mmCIF file of all heavy atoms in Angstrom:
data_model
loop_
_atom_site.group_PDB
_atom_site.id
_atom_site.type_symbol
_atom_site.label_atom_id
_atom_site.label_comp_id
_atom_site.label_asym_id
_atom_site.label_seq_id
_atom_site.Cartn_x
_atom_site.Cartn_y
_atom_site.Cartn_z
ATOM 1 N N ALA A 164 -14.923 -8.304 -15.110
ATOM 2 C CA ALA A 164 -15.674 -7.213 -15.728
ATOM 3 C C ALA A 164 -15.227 -6.996 -17.172
ATOM 4 O O ALA A 164 -16.061 -6.762 -18.067
ATOM 5 C CB ALA A 164 -15.491 -5.930 -14.928
ATOM 6 N N GLU A 165 -13.927 -7.091 -17.411
ATOM 7 C CA GLU A 165 -13.414 -6.892 -18.772
ATOM 8 C C GLU A 165 -13.917 -7.969 -19.739
ATOM 9 O O GLU A 165 -14.311 -7.658 -20.870
ATOM 10 C CB GLU A 165 -11.891 -6.875 -18.745
ATOM 11 C CG GLU A 165 -11.319 -5.639 -18.093
ATOM 12 C CD GLU A 165 -9.954 -5.874 -17.504
ATOM 13 O OE1 GLU A 165 -9.343 -6.926 -17.786
ATOM 14 O OE2 GLU A 165 -9.485 -5.022 -16.746
ATOM 15 N N VAL A 166 -13.892 -9.217 -19.284
ATOM 16 C CA VAL A 166 -14.368 -10.293 -20.146
ATOM 17 C C VAL A 166 -15.891 -10.165 -20.364
ATOM 18 O O VAL A 166 -16.379 -10.405 -21.476
ATOM 19 C CB VAL A 166 -14.037 -11.686 -19.530
ATOM 20 C CG1 VAL A 166 -14.663 -12.815 -20.358
ATOM 21 C CG2 VAL A 166 -12.527 -11.860 -19.449
ATOM 22 N N SER A 167 -16.595 -9.726 -19.349
ATOM 23 C CA SER A 167 -18.036 -9.521 -19.490
ATOM 24 C C SER A 167 -18.338 -8.453 -20.545
ATOM 25 O O SER A 167 -19.303 -8.595 -21.324
ATOM 26 C CB SER A 167 -18.647 -9.104 -18.150
ATOM 27 O OG SER A 167 -18.457 -10.111 -17.181
ATOM 28 N N LEU A 168 -17.523 -7.400 -20.577
ATOM 29 C CA LEU A 168 -17.747 -6.344 -21.544
ATOM 30 C C LEU A 168 -17.562 -6.833 -22.983
ATOM 31 O O LEU A 168 -18.210 -6.329 -23.917
ATOM 32 C CB LEU A 168 -16.792 -5.173 -21.281
ATOM 33 C CG LEU A 168 -17.113 -4.309 -20.063
ATOM 34 C CD1 LEU A 168 -16.009 -3.276 -19.826
ATOM 35 C CD2 LEU A 168 -18.451 -3.596 -20.262
ATOM 36 N N ILE A 169 -16.684 -7.821 -23.146
ATOM 37 C CA ILE A 169 -16.473 -8.371 -24.503
ATOM 38 C C ILE A 169 -17.770 -8.976 -25.031
ATOM 39 O O ILE A 169 -18.120 -8.810 -26.213
ATOM 40 C CB ILE A 169 -15.367 -9.456 -24.449
ATOM 41 C CG1 ILE A 169 -14.001 -8.815 -24.104
ATOM 42 C CG2 ILE A 169 -15.268 -10.194 -25.790
ATOM 43 C CD1 ILE A 169 -12.904 -9.829 -23.856
ATOM 44 N N TYR A 170 -18.490 -9.668 -24.149
ATOM 45 C CA TYR A 170 -19.701 -10.361 -24.579
ATOM 46 C C TYR A 170 -20.957 -9.518 -24.433
ATOM 47 O O TYR A 170 -22.020 -9.902 -24.911
ATOM 48 C CB TYR A 170 -19.860 -11.667 -23.779
ATOM 49 C CG TYR A 170 -18.819 -12.699 -24.156
ATOM 50 C CD1 TYR A 170 -17.684 -12.891 -23.358
ATOM 51 C CD2 TYR A 170 -18.928 -13.451 -25.317
ATOM 52 C CE1 TYR A 170 -16.695 -13.794 -23.709
ATOM 53 C CE2 TYR A 170 -17.953 -14.363 -25.684
ATOM 54 C CZ TYR A 170 -16.839 -14.535 -24.869
ATOM 55 O OH TYR A 170 -15.869 -15.439 -25.227
ATOM 56 N N ARG A 171 -20.837 -8.363 -23.785
ATOM 57 C CA ARG A 171 -22.016 -7.495 -23.645
ATOM 58 C C ARG A 171 -22.539 -7.046 -24.995
ATOM 59 O O ARG A 171 -23.744 -6.845 -25.190
ATOM 60 C CB ARG A 171 -21.650 -6.267 -22.793
ATOM 61 C CG ARG A 171 -22.807 -5.264 -22.617
ATOM 62 C CD ARG A 171 -23.980 -5.927 -21.925
ATOM 63 N NE ARG A 171 -25.147 -5.053 -21.872
ATOM 64 C CZ ARG A 171 -26.092 -5.040 -22.787
ATOM 65 N NH1 ARG A 171 -26.017 -5.827 -23.859
ATOM 66 N NH2 ARG A 171 -27.151 -4.252 -22.646
ATOM 67 N N LYS A 172 -21.650 -6.908 -25.969
ATOM 68 C CA LYS A 172 -22.055 -6.478 -27.307
ATOM 69 C C LYS A 172 -22.989 -7.497 -27.973
ATOM 70 O O LYS A 172 -23.759 -7.159 -28.861
ATOM 71 C CB LYS A 172 -20.826 -6.246 -28.193
ATOM 72 C CG LYS A 172 -19.890 -5.171 -27.663
ATOM 73 C CD LYS A 172 -18.609 -5.108 -28.474
ATOM 74 C CE LYS A 172 -17.624 -4.107 -27.891
ATOM 75 N NZ LYS A 172 -16.352 -4.072 -28.647
ATOM 76 N N LYS A 173 -22.885 -8.744 -27.506
ATOM 77 C CA LYS A 173 -23.706 -9.794 -28.100
ATOM 78 C C LYS A 173 -25.013 -10.018 -27.324
ATOM 79 O O LYS A 173 -25.776 -10.898 -27.678
ATOM 80 C CB LYS A 173 -22.911 -11.109 -28.148
ATOM 81 C CG LYS A 173 -21.648 -11.021 -28.982
ATOM 82 C CD LYS A 173 -20.901 -12.350 -28.988
ATOM 83 C CE LYS A 173 -19.621 -12.273 -29.798
ATOM 84 N NZ LYS A 173 -18.875 -13.564 -29.800
ATOM 85 N N GLY A 174 -25.200 -9.258 -26.248
ATOM 86 C CA GLY A 174 -26.456 -9.351 -25.513
ATOM 87 C C GLY A 174 -26.229 -9.643 -24.044
ATOM 88 O O GLY A 174 -25.289 -10.300 -23.644
ATOM 89 N N ILE A 175 -27.140 -9.091 -23.223
ATOM 90 C CA ILE A 175 -27.033 -9.252 -21.786
ATOM 91 C C ILE A 175 -27.202 -10.689 -21.349
ATOM 92 O O ILE A 175 -26.636 -11.122 -20.317
ATOM 93 C CB ILE A 175 -28.070 -8.332 -21.076
ATOM 94 C CG1 ILE A 175 -27.767 -8.208 -19.571
ATOM 95 C CG2 ILE A 175 -29.482 -8.823 -21.315
ATOM 96 C CD1 ILE A 175 -26.528 -7.477 -19.250
ATOM 97 N N ASN A 176 -27.979 -11.474 -22.082
ATOM 98 C CA ASN A 176 -28.211 -12.877 -21.715
ATOM 99 C C ASN A 176 -26.899 -13.673 -21.762
ATOM 100 O O ASN A 176 -26.672 -14.555 -20.923
ATOM 101 C CB ASN A 176 -29.251 -13.524 -22.623
ATOM 102 C CG ASN A 176 -30.642 -12.939 -22.403
ATOM 103 O OD1 ASN A 176 -30.924 -12.445 -21.304
ATOM 104 N ND2 ASN A 176 -31.475 -12.978 -23.412
ATOM 105 N N LEU A 177 -26.063 -13.372 -22.740
ATOM 106 C CA LEU A 177 -24.801 -14.077 -22.873
ATOM 107 C C LEU A 177 -23.880 -13.759 -21.676
ATOM 108 O O LEU A 177 -23.183 -14.630 -21.163
ATOM 109 C CB LEU A 177 -24.122 -13.707 -24.177
ATOM 110 C CG LEU A 177 -23.062 -14.687 -24.732
ATOM 111 C CD1 LEU A 177 -23.693 -16.056 -24.945
ATOM 112 C CD2 LEU A 177 -22.482 -14.154 -26.015
ATOM 113 N N VAL A 178 -23.930 -12.507 -21.217
ATOM 114 C CA VAL A 178 -23.147 -12.113 -20.052
ATOM 115 C C VAL A 178 -23.622 -12.861 -18.814
ATOM 116 O O VAL A 178 -22.818 -13.335 -17.993
ATOM 117 C CB VAL A 178 -23.236 -10.582 -19.820
ATOM 118 C CG1 VAL A 178 -22.499 -10.204 -18.531
ATOM 119 C CG2 VAL A 178 -22.650 -9.825 -20.996
ATOM 120 N N SER A 179 -24.935 -13.017 -18.690
ATOM 121 C CA SER A 179 -25.512 -13.749 -17.539
ATOM 122 C C SER A 179 -25.040 -15.187 -17.516
ATOM 123 O O SER A 179 -24.684 -15.737 -16.459
ATOM 124 C CB SER A 179 -27.041 -13.699 -17.579
ATOM 125 O OG SER A 179 -27.507 -12.370 -17.486
ATOM 126 N N VAL A 180 -24.986 -15.820 -18.705
ATOM 127 C CA VAL A 180 -24.518 -17.203 -18.801
ATOM 128 C C VAL A 180 -23.050 -17.296 -18.404
ATOM 129 O O VAL A 180 -22.633 -18.206 -17.673
ATOM 130 C CB VAL A 180 -24.753 -17.751 -20.223
ATOM 131 C CG1 VAL A 180 -24.139 -19.152 -20.353
ATOM 132 C CG2 VAL A 180 -26.227 -17.802 -20.563
ATOM 133 N N LEU A 181 -22.243 -16.323 -18.856
ATOM 134 C CA LEU A 181 -20.822 -16.294 -18.525
ATOM 135 C C LEU A 181 -20.622 -16.180 -17.016
ATOM 136 O O LEU A 181 -19.830 -16.930 -16.413
ATOM 137 C CB LEU A 181 -20.155 -15.102 -19.212
ATOM 138 C CG LEU A 181 -18.711 -14.777 -18.762
ATOM 139 C CD1 LEU A 181 -17.760 -15.914 -19.118
ATOM 140 C CD2 LEU A 181 -18.238 -13.458 -19.373
ATOM 141 N N LEU A 182 -21.357 -15.264 -16.359
ATOM 142 C CA LEU A 182 -21.200 -15.072 -14.929
ATOM 143 C C LEU A 182 -21.637 -16.307 -14.148
ATOM 144 O O LEU A 182 -21.027 -16.655 -13.129
ATOM 145 C CB LEU A 182 -22.006 -13.844 -14.488
ATOM 146 C CG LEU A 182 -21.522 -12.499 -15.049
ATOM 147 C CD1 LEU A 182 -22.434 -11.371 -14.616
ATOM 148 C CD2 LEU A 182 -20.087 -12.210 -14.617
ATOM 149 N N GLU A 183 -22.673 -16.982 -14.625
ATOM 150 C CA GLU A 183 -23.104 -18.229 -13.981
ATOM 151 C C GLU A 183 -22.012 -19.292 -14.063
ATOM 152 O O GLU A 183 -21.769 -20.045 -13.114
ATOM 153 C CB GLU A 183 -24.393 -18.731 -14.622
ATOM 154 C CG GLU A 183 -25.628 -17.916 -14.242
ATOM 155 C CD GLU A 183 -26.877 -18.368 -14.977
ATOM 156 O OE1 GLU A 183 -26.814 -19.430 -15.648
ATOM 157 O OE2 GLU A 183 -27.905 -17.693 -14.885
ATOM 158 N N GLU A 184 -21.340 -19.352 -15.220
ATOM 159 C CA GLU A 184 -20.247 -20.312 -15.395
ATOM 160 C C GLU A 184 -19.105 -20.016 -14.394
ATOM 161 O O GLU A 184 -18.517 -20.942 -13.832
ATOM 162 C CB GLU A 184 -19.704 -20.229 -16.822
ATOM 163 C CG GLU A 184 -20.615 -20.837 -17.885
ATOM 164 C CD GLU A 184 -20.630 -22.371 -17.827
ATOM 165 O OE1 GLU A 184 -19.602 -22.946 -17.384
ATOM 166 O OE2 GLU A 184 -21.641 -22.962 -18.173
ATOM 167 N N ILE A 185 -18.844 -18.747 -14.203
ATOM 168 C CA ILE A 185 -17.772 -18.375 -13.269
ATOM 169 C C ILE A 185 -18.156 -18.731 -11.835
ATOM 170 O O ILE A 185 -17.366 -19.301 -11.076
ATOM 171 C CB ILE A 185 -17.467 -16.857 -13.393
ATOM 172 C CG1 ILE A 185 -16.887 -16.540 -14.762
ATOM 173 C CG2 ILE A 185 -16.496 -16.412 -12.294
ATOM 174 C CD1 ILE A 185 -16.729 -15.069 -15.044
ATOM 175 N N ILE A 186 -19.394 -18.420 -11.460
ATOM 176 C CA ILE A 186 -19.869 -18.671 -10.098
ATOM 177 C C ILE A 186 -19.851 -20.156 -9.773
ATOM 178 O O ILE A 186 -19.608 -20.558 -8.630
ATOM 179 C CB ILE A 186 -21.275 -18.066 -9.897
ATOM 180 C CG1 ILE A 186 -21.187 -16.540 -9.921
ATOM 181 C CG2 ILE A 186 -21.893 -18.546 -8.584
ATOM 182 C CD1 ILE A 186 -22.521 -15.841 -9.970
ATOM 183 N N LEU A 187 -20.110 -21.005 -10.749
ATOM 184 C CA LEU A 187 -20.179 -22.448 -10.518
ATOM 185 C C LEU A 187 -18.804 -23.094 -10.371
ATOM 186 O O LEU A 187 -18.712 -24.277 -10.012
ATOM 187 C CB LEU A 187 -20.938 -23.116 -11.673
ATOM 188 C CG LEU A 187 -22.452 -22.827 -11.717
ATOM 189 C CD1 LEU A 187 -23.052 -23.407 -12.993
ATOM 190 C CD2 LEU A 187 -23.152 -23.389 -10.493
ATOM 191 N N GLN A 188 -17.739 -22.347 -10.644
ATOM 192 C CA GLN A 188 -16.397 -22.911 -10.511
ATOM 193 C C GLN A 188 -16.023 -23.136 -9.040
ATOM 194 O O GLN A 188 -16.506 -22.416 -8.171
ATOM 195 C CB GLN A 188 -15.362 -21.986 -11.161
ATOM 196 C CG GLN A 188 -15.542 -21.772 -12.644
ATOM 197 C CD GLN A 188 -15.388 -23.078 -13.429
ATOM 198 O OE1 GLN A 188 -14.445 -23.841 -13.207
ATOM 199 N NE2 GLN A 188 -16.341 -23.329 -14.311
ATOM 200 N N PRO A 189 -15.169 -24.130 -8.754
ATOM 201 C CA PRO A 189 -14.727 -24.342 -7.369
ATOM 202 C C PRO A 189 -14.025 -23.106 -6.810
ATOM 203 O O PRO A 189 -13.336 -22.396 -7.551
ATOM 204 C CB PRO A 189 -13.726 -25.517 -7.482
ATOM 205 C CG PRO A 189 -14.066 -26.174 -8.775
ATOM 206 C CD PRO A 189 -14.583 -25.118 -9.675
ATOM 207 N N PHE A 190 -14.219 -22.853 -5.517
ATOM 208 C CA PHE A 190 -13.633 -21.671 -4.886
ATOM 209 C C PHE A 190 -12.117 -21.779 -4.901
ATOM 210 O O PHE A 190 -11.552 -22.755 -4.417
ATOM 211 C CB PHE A 190 -14.137 -21.580 -3.441
ATOM 212 C CG PHE A 190 -14.075 -20.201 -2.873
ATOM 213 C CD1 PHE A 190 -14.940 -19.199 -3.301
ATOM 214 C CD2 PHE A 190 -13.142 -19.883 -1.903
ATOM 215 C CE1 PHE A 190 -14.900 -17.940 -2.774
ATOM 216 C CE2 PHE A 190 -13.076 -18.602 -1.365
ATOM 217 C CZ PHE A 190 -13.964 -17.633 -1.787
ATOM 218 N N PRO A 191 -11.413 -20.799 -5.477
ATOM 219 C CA PRO A 191 -9.940 -20.911 -5.591
ATOM 220 C C PRO A 191 -9.232 -20.675 -4.268
ATOM 221 O O PRO A 191 -9.684 -19.869 -3.446
ATOM 222 C CB PRO A 191 -9.613 -19.812 -6.612
ATOM 223 C CG PRO A 191 -10.676 -18.786 -6.421
ATOM 224 C CD PRO A 191 -11.921 -19.545 -6.070
ATOM 225 N N TYR A 192 -8.109 -21.353 -4.090
ATOM 226 C CA TYR A 192 -7.240 -21.093 -2.946
ATOM 227 C C TYR A 192 -6.383 -19.867 -3.244
ATOM 228 O O TYR A 192 -6.275 -19.448 -4.398
ATOM 229 C CB TYR A 192 -6.330 -22.317 -2.686
ATOM 230 C CG TYR A 192 -7.062 -23.507 -2.141
ATOM 231 C CD1 TYR A 192 -7.434 -24.585 -2.953
ATOM 232 C CD2 TYR A 192 -7.395 -23.559 -0.777
ATOM 233 C CE1 TYR A 192 -8.122 -25.682 -2.444
ATOM 234 C CE2 TYR A 192 -8.083 -24.655 -0.264
ATOM 235 C CZ TYR A 192 -8.438 -25.716 -1.089
ATOM 236 O OH TYR A 192 -9.120 -26.780 -0.572
ATOM 237 N N PRO A 193 -5.780 -19.268 -2.204
ATOM 238 C CA PRO A 193 -4.925 -18.085 -2.431
ATOM 239 C C PRO A 193 -3.855 -18.338 -3.494
ATOM 240 O O PRO A 193 -3.131 -19.325 -3.443
ATOM 241 C CB PRO A 193 -4.276 -17.838 -1.061
ATOM 242 C CG PRO A 193 -5.274 -18.368 -0.089
ATOM 243 C CD PRO A 193 -5.873 -19.579 -0.763
ATOM 244 N N GLY A 194 -3.794 -17.450 -4.480
ATOM 245 C CA GLY A 194 -2.802 -17.545 -5.556
ATOM 246 C C GLY A 194 -3.194 -18.465 -6.691
ATOM 247 O O GLY A 194 -2.501 -18.532 -7.693
ATOM 248 N N GLU A 195 -4.315 -19.213 -6.558
ATOM 249 C CA GLU A 195 -4.728 -20.127 -7.616
ATOM 250 C C GLU A 195 -5.735 -19.452 -8.562
ATOM 251 O O GLU A 195 -6.311 -18.409 -8.249
ATOM 252 C CB GLU A 195 -5.331 -21.397 -7.001
ATOM 253 C CG GLU A 195 -4.308 -22.264 -6.288
ATOM 254 C CD GLU A 195 -4.862 -23.624 -5.920
ATOM 255 O OE1 GLU A 195 -6.103 -23.821 -6.063
ATOM 256 O OE2 GLU A 195 -4.089 -24.486 -5.489
ATOM 257 N N SER A 196 -5.976 -20.108 -9.681
ATOM 258 C CA SER A 196 -6.854 -19.553 -10.720
ATOM 259 C C SER A 196 -8.024 -20.494 -10.988
ATOM 260 O O SER A 196 -7.946 -21.698 -10.733
ATOM 261 C CB SER A 196 -6.073 -19.323 -12.021
ATOM 262 O OG SER A 196 -4.988 -18.460 -11.823
ATOM 263 N N ILE A 197 -9.074 -19.909 -11.505
ATOM 264 C CA ILE A 197 -10.163 -20.708 -12.087
ATOM 265 C C ILE A 197 -10.135 -20.447 -13.584
ATOM 266 O O ILE A 197 -9.841 -19.336 -14.030
ATOM 267 C CB ILE A 197 -11.537 -20.353 -11.483
ATOM 268 C CG1 ILE A 197 -11.868 -18.875 -11.668
ATOM 269 C CG2 ILE A 197 -11.622 -20.758 -10.027
ATOM 270 C CD1 ILE A 197 -13.267 -18.497 -11.204
ATOM 271 N N VAL A 198 -10.403 -21.480 -14.366
ATOM 272 C CA VAL A 198 -10.386 -21.371 -15.819
ATOM 273 C C VAL A 198 -11.781 -21.671 -16.337
ATOM 274 O O VAL A 198 -12.385 -22.696 -16.001
ATOM 275 C CB VAL A 198 -9.359 -22.342 -16.439
ATOM 276 C CG1 VAL A 198 -9.387 -22.234 -17.960
ATOM 277 C CG2 VAL A 198 -7.954 -22.036 -15.925
ATOM 278 N N VAL A 199 -12.295 -20.770 -17.144
ATOM 279 C CA VAL A 199 -13.644 -20.906 -17.699
ATOM 280 C C VAL A 199 -13.542 -20.968 -19.218
ATOM 281 O O VAL A 199 -12.933 -20.096 -19.843
ATOM 282 C CB VAL A 199 -14.549 -19.736 -17.278
ATOM 283 C CG1 VAL A 199 -15.907 -19.826 -17.974
ATOM 284 C CG2 VAL A 199 -14.716 -19.697 -15.767
ATOM 285 N N CYS A 200 -14.079 -22.035 -19.807
ATOM 286 C CA CYS A 200 -14.162 -22.156 -21.267
ATOM 287 C C CYS A 200 -15.540 -21.676 -21.713
ATOM 288 O O CYS A 200 -16.576 -22.211 -21.261
ATOM 289 C CB CYS A 200 -13.940 -23.612 -21.691
ATOM 290 S SG CYS A 200 -12.275 -24.199 -21.320
#
Side-chain angles (χ1 to χ4, degrees):
E165 289 154 11
V166 174
S167 299
L168 286 174
I169 294 172
Y170 291 100
R171 178 61 186 91
K172 299 173 184 178
K173 299 180 181 180
I175 193 68
N176 292 334
L177 201 58
V178 175
S179 298
V180 174
L181 169 65
L182 295 177
E183 287 175 9
E184 287 287 332
I185 294 172
I186 292 170
L187 290 173
Q188 297 298 313
F190 203 71
Y192 289 101
E195 291 190 351
S196 301
I197 57 175
V198 178
V199 175
C200 295

